[in-house]
């Protein structure tokens, strides 16, 4: 990774200021390389694939984008490995980029073992690589992922670009609706990440650039209680590239199931000219996978019982096995839990409802916060709960969730009423109702308050009602479509636009702002709803007379928002770069070429 593409952005001169990076150009270069790798894999031009992967690994834009992902976008950006190093400031990121230009294989370090609680009160082990290894893994992933995206199966949805939980749930509904499959193999893998076969991973990826890096990361071991432990199997669950490696290992399960064909006698429709029964061939099994969670569906229980031994042998070759305690065969009327939803048939209709346990955990989280913040201001409670409620509702709004939303609204109202009573134990119910609850647009008992905005004007803020959020059917991604396919540019633009229209409430000011900027981030040029956190930026700051009018607002990714503010700070004063030379404000923002 020492040499970089000389024509790449910033490769000619050493990076001095983080804010001088032109993210729109950086993302464009990386995206173009990914699409070229994808197209070469489709055409089975393997020599070209290897050459393009080498180009990606040496790309300076890939390095910059990987540093941004690890140090700004990922949730674990503040969690250090055994090196104790994080990069949360612009100066630290510039230093990190310079260090990564000298990254070598012998510098790979073991992961740091930590434990996080699971839903069943057990602990899940995580391996946290050091920050340099995480950046290197992100770079290798950008080189390896587009090649495998051209080979991955259609009904694999977990940790893949352009795919989500809602796609997996929609495919589950399609397989379990009336007239389709009626039996489900609810499968669970036993310690999937911890038991992956190293030999199978290296054999599957073949002799490609970055193979030695992957081998070093798999064999690096982990440190726990100041002791080094060797790793003979598995991939660190906190690694950036680990989900991709798991998808590589489990790729082929759908093709295995598709080889089983059933022939059934069908009765012709009343409008058919020939009324003789005919035989129809169709796949015996349906398949839906989200990373290591998967469902197999069939029309009979015997079909599922027959495939289990074959599936166990197939998994054993990859170092995996089914968890006997959690793997079960159930009828669709009994239902099963999958990715936070409950899939169940009622009166021959399949419903995808929020899982009861997840709903109870969500409500308990809100109740605990209200108890711990009994003295918080009313506007602080509303500003804290509204994003949480809207995010939770956006996740479940594509299923049969209206009844659940009404129940959650009622439970939150009761929790807020108890919160109000604890604050005023000597006041009556009518006094509390007048103080904390209002009628807004014909809706009674809205938890609301009158406050002042940043300009000193009075405004009313209220807690959202989940029951008013419309239920909209999610449109599943088609077949094996991938964002790395340059031929599907219009398809993904329409898909991202459709998703963006449901992110903000229709008719709201923020919905109109997103529409005005064509649902894209003007700083990096990428779609707004690409998985990153979104902020709303004032083009003219409120401190300088700006307003909250639509023409003064713009939606940005959170990292792009901070980048823009850093540029404004640097433009307002002269800088002292890391090497001691003086940079004038006029030289910033023009890139590093």
């Amino acid at each position: 990774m020492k040499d970089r593409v000389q024509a790449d952005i910033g490769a000619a001169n050493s990076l001095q200021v983080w804010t001088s990076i032109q993210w729109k150009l950086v993302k464009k270069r990386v995206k173009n390389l990914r699409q070229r790798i994808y197209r070469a894999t489709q055409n089975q031009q393997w020599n070209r694939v290897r050459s393009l992967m080498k180009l990606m690994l040496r790309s300076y834009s890939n390095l910059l984008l990987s540093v941004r992902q690890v140090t700004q976008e990922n949730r674990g950006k503040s969690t250090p490995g055994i090196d104790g190093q994080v990069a949360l400031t612009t100066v630290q990121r510039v230093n990190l980029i310079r260090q990564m230009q000298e990254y070598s294989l012998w510098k790979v370090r073991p992961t740091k073992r930590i434990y996080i609680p699971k839903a069943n009160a057990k602990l899940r082990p995580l391996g946290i690589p050091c920050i340099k290894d995480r950046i290197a893994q992100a770079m290798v992933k950008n080189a390896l992922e587009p090649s495998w995206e051209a080979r991955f199966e259609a009904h694999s949805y977990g940790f893949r670009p352009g795919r989500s939980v809602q796609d997996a749930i929609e495919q589950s509904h399609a397989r379990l609706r009336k007239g389709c499959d009626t039996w489900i193999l609810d499968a669970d893998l036993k310690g999937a990440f911890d038991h992956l076969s190293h030999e199978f991973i290296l054999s599957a990826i073949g002799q490609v650039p970055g193979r030695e890096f992957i081998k070093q990361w798999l064999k690096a071991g982990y440190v726990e209680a100041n002791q080094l432990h060797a790793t003979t199997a598995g991939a660190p669950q906190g690694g950036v590239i680990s989900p991709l490696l798991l998808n590589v290992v489990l790729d082929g399960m759908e093709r295995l199931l598709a080889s089983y064909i059933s022939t059934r006698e069908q009765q012709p429709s009343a409008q058919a000219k020939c009324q003789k029964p005919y035989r129809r061939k169709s796949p015996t099994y349906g398949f839906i996978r989200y990373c290591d969670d998967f469902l197999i569906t069939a029309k009979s229980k015997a079909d599922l019982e027959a495939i289990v031994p074959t599936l166990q042998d197939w998994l054993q070759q990859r170092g995996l096995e089914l968890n006997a305690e959690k793997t079960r065969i159930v009828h669709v009327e009994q239902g099963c839990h999958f990715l936070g939803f409950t899939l169940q048939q009622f009166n021959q209709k399949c419903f995808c409802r929020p899982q009861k346990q997840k709903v109870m955990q969500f409500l308990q989280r809100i109740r605990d916060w209200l108890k711990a913040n009994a003295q918080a201001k009313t506007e602080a409670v509303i500003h804290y709960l509204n994003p949480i409620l809207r995010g939770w509702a956006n996740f479940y709004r594509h299923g049969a969730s209206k009844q659940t939303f009404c129940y959650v609204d009622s439970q939150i109202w009761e929790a807020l009423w108890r919160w109000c009573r604890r604050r005023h134990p000597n006041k009556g119910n009518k006094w509390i109702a007048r103080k904390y609850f209002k009628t807004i647009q014909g809706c009674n008992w809205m938890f609301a308050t009158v406050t002042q905005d940043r300009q000193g004007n009075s405004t009313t803020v209220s807690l959202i009602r989940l029951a008013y959020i419309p239920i909209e059917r999610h449109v599943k991604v088609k077949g094996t479509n991938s964002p790395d396919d340059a031929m599907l540019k219009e398809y993904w633009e329409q898909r991202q636009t459709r998703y963006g229209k449901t992110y903000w409430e229709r008719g709201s000011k923020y919905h109109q702002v997103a529409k005005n900027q064509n649902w894209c981030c003007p700083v990096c040029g990428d779609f707004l709803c690409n998985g990153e956190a979104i902020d709303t930026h004032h083009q003219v700051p409120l401190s300088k007379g700006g307003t909250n009018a639509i023409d003064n607002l713009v939606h940005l990714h959170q990292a792009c928002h901070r980048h823009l503010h850093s540029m404004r700070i640097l433009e307002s004063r002269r800088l002292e770069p890391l090497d001691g030379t003086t940079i004038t404000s006029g030289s910033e923002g023009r890139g590093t070429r």
Side-chain angles (χ1 to χ4, degrees):
M1 290 189 179
K2 291 185 178 181
D3 53 336
R4 298 281 176 256
V5 178
Q6 294 301 317
D8 215 345
I9 178 173
N13 301 315
S14 179
L15 181 67
Q16 299 294 325
V17 183
W18 178 260
T19 53
S20 65
I21 301 173
Q22 301 177 28
W23 288 115
K24 186 175 294 188
L25 184 57
V26 167
K27 287 196 172 185
K28 181 180 179 181
R29 288 180 180 272
V30 174
K31 182 179 180 180
N32 287 344
L33 267 178
R34 286 179 62 103
Q35 290 178 347
R36 292 174 65 189
I37 295 173
Y38 183 93
R39 183 169 61 250
T41 304
Q42 278 187 321
N43 298 332
Q44 298 185 0
Q45 299 171 331
W46 305 117
N47 288 336
R48 178 170 294 183
V49 170
R50 285 189 288 270
S51 298
L52 291 172
M53 290 179 67
K54 289 180 182 179
L55 197 64
M56 178 69 84
L57 293 177
R58 296 171 182 171
S59 170
Y60 195 73
S61 294
N62 187 20
L63 172 60
L64 296 178
L65 194 60
S66 299
V67 171
R68 167 175 161 141
Q69 176 187 342
V70 171
T71 62
Q72 287 190 282
E73 298 174 8
N74 288 358
R75 292 184 179 180
K77 60 187 176 183
S78 302
T79 305
I82 61 172
D83 59 345
Q85 184 182 3
V86 294
L88 303 178
T89 66
T90 57
V91 175
Q92 290 174 335
R93 295 186 192 109
V94 172
N95 287 331
L96 192 57
I97 289 173
R98 296 176 179 176
Q99 296 171 15
M100 285 301 302
Q101 291 180 295
E102 300 298 326
Y103 183 87
S104 300
L105 274 177
W106 60 270
K107 295 183 180 180
V108 172
R109 304 181 69 176
T111 62
K112 177 183 177 182
R113 176 60 62 92
I114 63 174
Y115 294 90
I116 60 173
K118 297 172 62 176
N120 56 3
K122 295 182 179 180
L123 296 177
R124 183 191 305 276
L126 292 183
I128 308 299
C130 64
I131 192 168
K132 294 179 184 177
D133 288 335
R134 275 181 274 175
I135 294 172
Q137 288 183 20
M139 296 179 66
V140 174
K141 181 182 178 183
N142 272 335
L144 189 65
E145 187 176 50
S147 178
W148 279 93
E149 276 294 310
R151 290 176 272 180
F152 278 151
E153 298 161 328
H155 300 312
S156 167
Y157 302 101
F159 299 103
R160 292 182 57 188
R163 294 170 178 249
S164 64
V165 170
Q166 282 70 29
D167 292 310
I169 295 301
E170 189 64 26
Q171 176 62 19
S172 303
H173 181 269
R175 294 297 310 184
L176 298 174
R177 61 188 177 184
K178 181 179 179 181
C180 297
D181 298 337
T182 55
W183 287 90
I184 308 170
L185 173 62
D186 185 6
D188 183 80
L189 296 179
K190 187 175 182 180
F193 282 97
D194 299 330
H195 297 95
L196 293 176
S197 171
H198 291 174
E199 291 74 17
F200 187 89
I201 292 175
L202 297 175
S203 174
I205 63 176
Q207 298 295 331
V208 296
R211 171 192 170 89
E212 290 302 317
F213 284 100
I214 295 175
K215 183 177 180 180
Q216 291 287 338
W217 292 321
L218 293 176
K219 303 292 185 181
Y222 65 92
V223 174
E224 184 178 9
N226 294 326
Q227 290 187 354
L228 177 63
H229 301 267
T231 50
T232 58
Q237 198 160 345
V240 176
I241 202 173
S242 297
L244 173 61
L245 297 181
L246 181 59
N247 279 332
V248 169
V249 170
L250 293 178
D251 184 59
M253 189 183 299
E254 183 177 348
R255 288 188 289 271
L256 171 69
L257 297 173
S259 63
Y260 293 87
I261 304 296
S262 297
T263 302
R264 292 183 173 88
E265 189 173 280
Q266 298 285 336
Q267 296 295 330
S269 62
Q271 294 79 14
K273 293 182 179 179
C274 181
Q275 293 296 317
K276 292 183 180 180
Y278 63 95
R279 294 194 175 191
R280 181 181 179 182
K281 293 183 178 181
S282 60
T284 306
Y285 302 103
F287 177 73
I288 308 99
R289 181 171 70 85
Y290 190 92
C291 202
D292 60 331
D293 295 328
F294 62 92
L295 300 179
I296 299 176
T297 64
K299 293 187 178 296
S300 67
K301 184 177 181 181
D303 288 336
L304 294 178
E305 292 175 343
I307 198 61
V308 170
T310 303
L311 190 61
Q312 289 175 335
D313 293 340
W314 188 87
L315 291 171
Q316 189 175 6
Q317 300 173 10
R318 293 152 173 79
L320 302 173
E321 61 177 329
L322 294 175
N323 190 337
E325 297 179 356
K326 297 183 179 180
T327 300
R328 59 194 186 118
I329 298 176
V330 297
H331 194 269
V332 70
E333 293 183 355
Q334 181 181 352
C336 70
H337 304 312
F338 186 54
L339 303 177
F341 287 82
T342 297
L343 312 176
Q344 193 171 6
Q345 253 191 27
F346 297 95
N347 297 326
Q348 296 184 345
K349 291 184 179 180
C350 182
F351 293 93
C352 303
R353 302 174 300 164
Q355 185 179 342
K356 183 178 179 179
Q357 182 182 1
K358 301 297 182 182
V359 175
M360 294 297 105
Q361 290 176 355
F362 177 71
L363 289 173
Q364 190 60 45
R365 171 188 171 189
I366 294 179
R367 294 185 187 114
D368 292 342
W369 188 88
L370 289 174
K371 289 181 181 178
N373 296 270
Q375 303 304 320
K377 293 183 178 180
T378 306
E379 56 265 29
V381 174
I382 294 173
H383 288 315
Y384 176 80
L385 291 182
N386 270 350
I388 296 176
L389 293 173
R390 189 173 296 279
W392 188 83
N394 284 340
F395 181 81
Y396 285 110
R397 66 182 302 178
H398 304 291
S401 306
K402 179 63 71 174
Q403 185 176 358
T404 303
F405 284 177
C406 294
Y407 172 77
V408 170
D409 279 338
S410 66
Q411 292 297 308
I412 291 178
W413 188 93
E414 292 180 7
L416 289 171
W417 182 260
R418 290 192 295 268
W419 180 81
C420 297
R421 290 293 302 272
R422 283 194 296 267
R423 289 167 65 92
H424 307 284
N426 298 325
K427 296 291 185 179
N429 292 343
K430 292 184 178 180
W431 184 91
I432 293 175
R434 287 194 301 268
K435 179 175 178 60
Y436 290 100
F437 298 90
K438 302 181 183 301
T439 299
I440 300 177
Q441 296 180 353
C443 183
N444 300 325
W445 291 97
M446 294 286 291
F447 186 73
T449 186
V450 178
T451 184
Q452 290 184 341
D453 58 18
R454 296 171 64 178
Q455 295 176 316
N457 301 322
S458 296
T459 182
T460 301
V461 293
S462 62
L463 196 70
I464 65 172
R465 288 278 182 90
L466 301 187
Y468 295 161
I469 295 179
I471 303 298
E472 296 184 5
R473 180 64 66 186
H474 177 76
V475 179
K476 187 178 72 71
V477 61
K478 291 183 180 180
T480 58
N481 287 3
S482 171
D484 292 322
D485 190 349
M487 303 299 293
L488 299 176
K489 180 181 178 181
E490 294 183 0
Y491 170 82
W492 288 103
E493 286 181 351
Q494 294 174 359
R495 186 172 179 83
Q496 292 286 352
T497 301
R498 186 188 303 114
Y499 179 79
K501 290 180 179 179
T502 64
Y503 187 86
W504 291 277
E505 183 180 358
R506 292 186 179 180
S508 66
K509 174 172 59 178
Y510 299 106
H511 185 275
Q512 185 62 40
V513 170
K515 183 179 180 180
N516 291 344
Q517 59 191 77
N518 201 24
W519 313 98
C520 291
C521 175
V523 174
C524 67
D526 203 356
F527 294 112
L528 278 172
C529 301
N530 65 349
E532 298 183 44
I534 300 175
D535 289 345
T536 301
H537 170 70
H538 292 80
Q539 300 186 62
V540 179
L542 295 177
S543 59
K544 297 183 179 180
T547 65
N548 288 319
I550 292 178
D551 56 356
N552 191 46
L553 300 180
V554 60
H555 295 310
L556 304 172
H557 295 133
Q558 192 174 79
C560 296
H561 191 198
R562 294 175 180 175
H563 184 81
L564 191 61
H565 276 286
S566 298
M567 290 180 62
R568 287 190 171 183
I569 294 174
L570 293 179
E571 289 174 355
S572 63
R573 58 186 174 86
R574 297 172 67 86
L575 298 178
E576 287 293 332
L578 299 177
D579 58 359
T581 60
T582 302
I583 298 180
T584 61
S585 60
S587 66
E588 293 146 10
R590 293 201 298 262
T592 54
R593 296 181 61 179

